[in-house]
Amino acid sequence: DAGVIQSPRHEVTEMGQEVTLRCKPISGHNSLFWYRQTMMRGLELLIYFNNNVPIDDSGMPEDRFSAKMPNASFSTLKIQPSEPRDSAVYFCASSFSGITGELFFGEGSRLTVL
Amino acid sequence: EDQVTQSPEALRLQEGESSSLNCSYTVSGLRGLFWYRQDPGKGPEFLFTLYSAGEEKEKERLKATLTKKESFLHITAPKPEDSATYLCAVQAMEYGNKLVFGAGTILRVKS
């Protein structure tokens, strides 16, 4: 079975540009999570969805960040406009609802904003 | 104040040299404590779930234990392939269903 699929794996962009990260969760999972990992702050939850509905977006740093889940097999995380401090590895993870501690992570999207 | 603290930050072991990693937490209403392994350039990989004090889980050379204040990940006779960052995370009533991760312990096992 394919795991969580993220794209792009690497993204280098200039400050002010729009960035869109994509995620395909594991089929049958109905919870989806977006995390950000940096050396300074570790793994931080940005937002999570249950049955395609955003449940908690309190971790989204500011209005420049937005996330959507139009259907059960696809989600996007958008940053507009991007800033150098957004440079990080962004992970998408999915899980069966009700077993939300056992997450299956993608390989991440490494974002560098110059 | 950090709710989840892992120690040590980094640990170097010789192959076969057993040791333990610590994860202490200060949350109330613990729902579960989770251990993950992360290899460089990869996403975290789930290892164990612990729900109550006294519970233990084992997988190959790894054993996780839980008390009311902390969890230990014991590594018995480690091999170089056990080298990775080990992350613990807690799920607690005060956070809803969210996981709060510790900073991790970087383990290097030399042959």
Side-chain angles (χ1 to χ4, degrees), chain A residues 83-102:
Chain A
E83 297 183 2
R85 60 193 167 122
D86 301 331
S87 298
V89 181
Y90 291 81
F91 287 104
C92 176
S94 69
S95 76
F96 291 111
S97 177
I99 313 177
T100 52
E102 184 176 344

Side-chain angles (χ1 to χ4, degrees), chain A residues 37 45 58 100-101 103 107, chain B residues 34 36 38 42-44 91 98:
Chain A
Q37 188 173 42
L45 179 65
S58 59
T100 52
L103 306 184
E107 296 204 324
Chain B
F34 307 86
Y36 283 80
Q38 186 173 22
K42 304 287 187 182
Q91 190 178 48
K98 295 190 291 190

